[in-house]
Amino acid sequence: RKEVEQDPGPFNVPEGATVAFNCTYSNSASQSFFWYRQDCRKEPKLLMSVYSSGNEDGRFTAQLNRASQYISLLIRDSKLSDSATYLCVVYASGGSYIPTFGRGTSLIVHP
Amino acid sequence: NAGVMQNPRHLVRRRGQEARLRCSPMKGHSHVYWYRQLPEEGLKFMVYLQKENIIDESGMPKERFSAEFPKEGPSILRIQQVVRGDSAAYFCASSSGLAGGSFEQYFGPGTRLTVT
């Protein structure tokens, strides 16, 4: 099993739709989690951290499910500009400063 | 407050030449990471450095690749005797590190290396 797995998609949704992605991780001791967004041929940009209690930022909600070892990202009222690849990032515990990136989930929002 | 800077943005090298990629972290950040991304692939960690120290280079190929982050100046990723398989986007990211209370990383625009 890969350390961090994501469904590559693409998820093809109309504007205004709600879409959710999951990201599973294999190391049960993982401590820190993030979602990044990467546009084609650009650098990844930090979207949001994922806290144990969940985290909401406007139309975006991130949640952590430790029991099932996955994090999720929910996007409400999708915009055309949300089209991108969404990367999840996991840090293991034990003082590791090395993140593991998932390969990303592609989202295409169409008119 | 300038973000992470990388140069050059595009670099073309012939097989056997050397490639030097530079990264200046965000102001106040002393931790630098280098990643490689092949087309249609995910980001692969290469090396993690702090000023004058290599903390973890477990993702770096054993030969031809080296990295440094001197006390003064940018971090440098050096690839000697490049081969076609080295063609990729190389991203640098910086963070304030655990001492700064954050694992959040901020990426530079990347250097796209093409080996002909």
Side-chain angles (χ1 to χ4, degrees):
Chain A
R1 183 182 175 184
K2 289 183 183 174
E3 287 186 65
V4 178
E5 287 197 77
Q6 295 184 253
D7 180 344
F11 284 61
N12 213 316
V13 303
E15 271 185 290
T18 295
V19 62
F21 316 129
N22 283 346
C23 167
T24 58
Y25 58 94
S26 59
N27 186 342
S28 59
S30 296
Q31 290 293 334
S32 299
F33 310 88
F34 300 87
W35 283 103
Y36 281 74
R37 167 198 171 124
Q38 187 174 26
D39 292 279
C40 187
R41 298 183 65 77
K42 296 284 184 75
E43 73 272 24
K45 290 195 163 119
L46 179 63
L47 185 63
M48 58 200 309
S49 306
V50 186
Y51 304 128
S52 296
S53 56
N55 188 19
E56 186 172 319
D57 183 4
R59 298 182 293 110
F60 297 82
T61 300
Q63 294 197 312
L64 167 64
N65 185 318
R66 284 197 185 275
S68 300
Q69 292 182 212
Y70 73 87
I71 62 173
S72 63
L73 179 67
L74 179 80
I75 305 175
R76 289 180 295 277
D77 188 23
S78 298
K79 311 290 184 194
L80 296 176
S81 57
D82 293 334
S83 298
T85 297
Y86 290 84
L87 311 174
C88 75
V89 183
V90 176
Y91 284 82
S93 66
S96 170
Y97 305 126
I98 309 305
T100 301
F101 280 75
R103 289 185 63 172
T105 296
S106 175
L107 171 66
I108 300 170
V109 181
H110 58 82
Chain B
N1 187 12
V4 179
M5 294 165 59
Q6 287 187 252
N7 66 80
R9 295 289 300 275
H10 300 273
L11 182 61
V12 180
R13 284 287 177 265
R14 290 201 179 101
R15 277 179 297 170
Q17 290 185 319
E18 178 180 287
R20 289 171 72 89
L21 287 60
R22 288 176 290 277
C23 169
S24 296
M26 281 179 72
K27 188 176 180 181
H29 285 185
S30 59
H31 297 240
V32 166
Y33 297 75
W34 285 95
Y35 298 88
R36 177 163 64 178
Q37 188 172 37
L38 293 166
E40 308 304 323
E41 300 253 340
L43 280 165
K44 298 295 183 193
F45 164 78
M46 298 181 75
V47 61
Y48 165 44
L49 311 104
Q50 294 179 25
K51 286 279 186 184
E52 300 185 280
N53 280 312
I54 296 175
I55 306 302
D56 190 312
E57 55 182 348
S58 57
M60 200 96 107
K62 293 285 187 286
E63 296 176 352
R64 302 189 298 108
F65 285 72
S66 63
E68 62 175 5
F69 190 12
K71 188 176 179 181
E72 301 292 336
S75 175
I76 307 284
L77 178 67
R78 184 178 174 209
I79 312 173
Q80 294 177 291
Q81 300 173 333
V82 296
V83 300
R84 288 223 172 102
D86 296 333
S87 296
Y90 291 83
F91 290 101
C92 156
S94 74
S95 77
S96 57
L98 190 59
S102 173
F103 283 109
E104 295 175 356
Q105 296 190 13
Y106 297 86
F107 282 79
T111 293
R112 276 163 183 78
L113 173 65
T114 303
V115 180
T116 61

